[in-house]
């Protein structure tokens, strides 16, 4: 009897044969990185069901998508590579060697380059998307974790976990132009749609630093839940949603007043977070429950829970608009 497993199966002779994945034509899809079983799961956000799994490399950790939505890049923390997923074929089509332990990654708004944080050697790899090759290496702080790029593409903001600061890279010259002290063990970073502010989660300070990107100074500190990790900002820029890994909840920040206006309880060890294109729902990965919570942003209540495969440990998520 054939044993099916993700996008290949083992036939009766014990040989591995690839399965050609079907095209997926849903309007909005979520992609979840699962380091527990080395897959990326696809969720249909209309039905809130997991519909497919893509096998990648060892310990997929974070994801980024090209502006045209045709490719997803996955940082594989376990084997120093980036997997390239074709979102039409729903399969890994290329692998890029970074030379370090890749953790975070972000793609420039013009879709030409990827910035990848390498935790073990304190560098950023700059990858040319046309050739899938590393074209520059930038030294930053100690143990760079996540990275976000301003909407104009001119600057990349990198959280450095063990030097408690943020490196600001000029993307034209690929040089560090500023270093900003923040809280203890900064983790996630998100930039407002107008590019005026960067929000940084400080995992061991239990707060969020707000950086003015014009002056590269911290202008506010917001206390949230226990061990904040991921962060996403609504498309209108009015709210930031923060995952608190240690307190199993989400802090909702009003970005006008920089105060917490709501707290939403989710599953065990919420880490990754993403928002739908129109800002109506937030999707949160609960690492120790092997599931994803869906939050209605109008009411800030959990409206659905999506099961991922057992022991997948879903850690990060992104949302693709297929329309």
């Amino acid at each position: 009897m054939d044993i099916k497993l993700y996008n290949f199966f083992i036939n009766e002779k014990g040989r591995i044969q690839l399965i050609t994945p079907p095209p997926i034509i849903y309007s909005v899809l979520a992609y979840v990185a699962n380091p527990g079983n080395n897959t990326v799961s696809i969720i249909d956000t209309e039905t809130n069901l997991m519909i497919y799994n893509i096998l990648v490399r060892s310990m997929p950790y974070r994801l980024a998508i090209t502006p045209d939505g045709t490719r997803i890049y996955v940082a594989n923390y376990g084997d120093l590579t980036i997997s390239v997923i074709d979102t039409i074929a729903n399969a890994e089509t290329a692998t890029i060697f970074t030379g370090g332990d890749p953790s975070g990654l972000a793609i420039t708004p013009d879709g030409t380059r990827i910035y990848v944080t390498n935790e073990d050697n304190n560098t950023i790899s700059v990858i040319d998307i046309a050739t899938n090759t590393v074209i520059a290496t930038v030294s930053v702080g100690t143990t760079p974790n996540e990275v976000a790029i301003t909407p104009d593409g001119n600057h990349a903001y990198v959280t450095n976990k063990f030097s408690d600061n943020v490196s600001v890279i000029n993307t034209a010259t690929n040089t560090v132009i500023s270093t900003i002290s923040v809280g203890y063990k900064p983790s996630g970073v998100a930039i407002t749609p107008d590019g005026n502010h960067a929000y940084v989660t400080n995992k061991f300070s239990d707060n969020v630093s707000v950086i003015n990107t014009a002056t590269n100074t911290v202008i506010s500190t917001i206390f949230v839940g226990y061990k904040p990790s991921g962060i996403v900002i609504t498309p209108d820029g009015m709210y930031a949603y923060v995952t608190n890994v240690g307190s199993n909840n989400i802090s909702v920040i009003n970005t006008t007043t920089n105060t917490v206006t709501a707290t939403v309880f989710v599953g065990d060890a919420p880490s990754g977070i993403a928002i739908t294109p129109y800002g109506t729902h937030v999707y949160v990965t609960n690492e120790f429950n092997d599931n994803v919570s869906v939050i209605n942003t109008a009411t800030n209540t959990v409206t659905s829970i999506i099961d991922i495969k057992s022991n997948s440990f879903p850690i990060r998520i992104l949302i693709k608009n297929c329309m």
Side-chain angles (χ1 to χ4, degrees), residues 43 58 95 103 114 125 161 172 182 230 246 301 312 323:
I43 294 170
S58 176
T95 305
S103 175
I114 313 168
S125 295
K161 183 162 55 177
V182 288
T301 56
S312 56
M323 297 178 68

Side-chain angles (χ1 to χ4, degrees), residues 97-117:
F97 180 73
T98 64
D101 289 332
S103 175
L105 69 173
I107 296 175
T108 54
D110 63 5
T112 61
R113 286 169 292 163
I114 313 168
Y115 283 72
V116 181
T117 63

Side-chain angles (χ1 to χ4, degrees), residues 45-85:
T45 63
E46 292 184 357
T47 61
N48 282 331
L49 295 173
M50 188 188 73
I51 56 175
Y52 197 69
N53 277 303
I54 302 168
L55 189 66
V56 289
R57 306 288 170 163
S58 176
M59 292 181 63
Y61 204 55
R62 292 186 175 97
L63 316 96
I65 191 167
T66 54
D68 63 6
T70 60
R71 280 173 288 178
I72 289 174
Y73 288 76
V74 184
N76 300 307
Y77 192 79
D79 69 357
L80 316 184
T81 64
I82 305 293
S83 290
V84 185
I85 293 175

Side-chain angles (χ1 to χ4, degrees), residues 188-319:
V189 56
I191 297 171
T192 53
D194 61 11
N196 291 336
H197 298 96
Y199 283 70
V200 175
T201 60
N202 300 304
K203 199 165 190 177
F204 281 72
S205 295
D206 301 332
N207 59 27
V208 173
S209 297
V210 185
I211 296 170
N212 181 320
T213 57
T215 60
N216 284 327
T217 56
V218 174
I219 60 169
S220 183
T221 301
I222 308 158
F223 281 88
V224 289
Y226 183 44
K227 291 187 178 180
S229 178
I231 184 168
V232 69
I233 296 173
T234 55
D236 61 10
M238 293 182 62
Y239 295 96
Y241 283 72
V242 178
T243 60
N244 300 304
V245 177
S247 51
N248 299 333
N249 56 24
I250 308 299
S251 296
V252 184
I253 297 170
N254 182 314
T255 58
T256 300
T257 61
N258 283 328
T259 57
V260 174
T261 57
T263 301
V264 186
F265 281 87
V266 288
D268 194 359
S271 181
I273 189 164
I275 193 163
T276 52
Y278 296 109
T280 58
H281 294 87
V282 165
Y283 284 66
V284 178
T285 60
N286 301 305
E287 188 176 356
F288 296 157
N289 286 143
D290 293 323
N291 62 24
V292 173
S293 297
V294 183
I295 298 170
N296 182 316
T297 58
T299 60
N300 283 324
T301 56
V302 174
T303 58
S304 184
I305 297 174
I306 306 162
D307 287 327
I308 309 296
K309 286 186 177 294
S310 179
N311 297 319
S312 56
F313 302 116
I315 194 167
R316 284 296 187 268
I317 186 168
L318 66 76
I319 291 177

